[in-house]
Amino acid sequence: MNKKVTVQDLGLKDYKETWDYQELLFKNIVDTKIRNRREEANLDTPNHFLFVEHPHVYTLGKSGDINNLLVDENKLAEKGATFYKINRGGDITYHGPGQVVGYPILDLDNFFTDIHKYLRFLEEMVILTLAEYGLKAERSKGETGVWLDVGTPFARKICAMGVRASRWVTMHGFALNVNADLGYFDMMIPCGIRDKAVTSLNVELGQKEVDMEEVKQKLLKHFTALFEAELVKEGAQV
């Protein structure tokens, strides 16, 4: 079991380019697993954790409803946004500058083979990170992601999640609003949920801007503890 996870920060990168890169890493892990099974090669399968910010983009999951996007292609173009239908779970999601987007591409055979536990651990990573900023974040029953003021009229989502897994290899991940422009959420029904608002860390803290790098380091700290992982960056242990 290889618990080393290579961390890469891709900076601001086009959604489709990042998706293609995820697919490449995903395929490499799956191909290694197939070779191990067929040839008894006993090769370590790699694990990856990508951080990225995307230009404005809306993505629709496999089971999503296109009617949850409230504008047409012309309006999207006006706002400098793009749209993709993709192969993760979940409904419609927005990504844009000011979000910390994380894509763990893990062979869960290296950790645990339980996709629900995997999602709960990703949520816990975010919950523990937000606790460091004095926020009480929670899960909302039946709704993936991380929320504030669950069970009240003021419930609002701060982190969206949607993953895909095949042969116990994961891709896609989470999008945590840190300094997000919340106006872009008005052009959709977030995750298909009509009666819940969306928020961002800087809004909750009453700050113009929160240090994104600090948020990433806190997320990695909690990821490492939860998954009992060893982080590696450019050949050096993090």
Side-chain angles (χ1 to χ4, degrees):
M1 292 170 61
N2 175 31
K3 289 185 174 285
K4 290 184 177 179
V5 180
T6 301
V7 180
Q8 286 181 274
D9 193 330
L10 304 180
L12 184 67
K13 195 172 182 67
D14 175 77
Y15 185 84
K16 183 61 168 62
E17 285 182 34
T18 310
W19 186 8
D20 288 345
Y21 184 49
Q22 281 194 78
E23 290 277 14
L24 185 69
L25 297 176
F26 177 89
K27 184 178 184 300
N28 175 253
I29 297 172
V30 169
D31 286 350
T32 302
K33 294 187 78 166
I34 291 171
R35 185 180 171 193
N36 281 343
R37 192 180 71 247
R38 288 179 179 170
E39 303 175 13
E40 297 184 358
N42 203 30
L43 299 170
D44 280 346
T45 49
N47 306 289
H48 304 271
F49 192 124
L50 308 179
F51 277 126
V52 66
E53 274 185 271
H54 293 305
H56 303 293
V57 61
Y58 296 87
T59 69
L60 186 70
K62 290 181 295 185
S63 58
D65 183 350
I66 187 61
N67 293 318
N68 289 326
L69 181 63
L70 303 177
V71 295
D72 59 20
E73 289 182 15
N74 292 332
K75 183 66 174 178
L76 284 179
E78 276 179 35
K79 297 289 285 184
T82 53
F83 171 80
Y84 292 101
K85 189 160 187 178
I86 61 172
N87 61 354
R88 60 159 170 79
D91 206 283
I92 195 159
T93 300
Y94 159 78
H95 298 308
Q99 270 187 344
V100 170
V101 178
Y103 297 131
I105 306 167
L106 310 177
D107 178 6
L108 290 182
D109 272 319
N110 288 325
F111 301 94
F112 47 77
T113 50
D114 184 333
I115 195 65
H116 295 290
K117 181 177 178 179
Y118 172 67
L119 278 166
R120 301 296 84 79
F121 271 24
L122 290 187
E123 289 167 350
E124 190 67 14
M125 171 188 69
V126 175
I127 288 168
L128 292 171
T129 296
L130 294 174
E132 293 199 53
Y133 291 94
L135 297 180
K136 184 175 184 281
E138 303 172 83
R139 298 172 182 84
S140 182
K141 189 174 181 181
E143 298 168 332
T144 306
V146 178
W147 302 74
L148 301 174
D149 288 335
V150 172
T152 78
F154 308 106
R156 55 209 182 276
K157 192 171 198 173
I158 194 167
C159 181
M161 291 191 182
V163 303
R164 174 194 171 198
S166 178
R167 296 179 186 269
W168 296 114
V169 182
T170 67
M171 63 180 291
H172 302 298
F174 67 91
L176 174 60
N177 298 331
V178 177
N179 301 309
D181 182 344
L182 298 179
Y184 279 83
F185 288 93
D186 294 338
M187 296 197 293
M188 68 175 191
I189 301 170
C191 301
I193 303 168
R194 291 180 177 273
D195 60 344
K196 301 282 177 66
V198 177
T199 190
S200 186
L201 182 57
N202 64 326
V203 172
E204 295 298 324
L205 298 181
Q207 297 179 11
K208 183 177 180 182
E209 195 167 286
V210 176
D211 186 334
M212 300 265 286
E213 293 306 313
E214 181 183 82
V215 173
K216 291 174 191 175
Q217 290 308 310
K218 291 181 187 300
L219 287 165
L220 287 176
K221 176 180 69 177
H222 295 301
F223 173 85
T224 303
L226 288 162
F227 287 82
E228 299 178 347
E230 177 188 345
L231 301 186
V232 177
K233 188 173 182 180
E234 297 177 347
Q237 186 173 335
V238 177

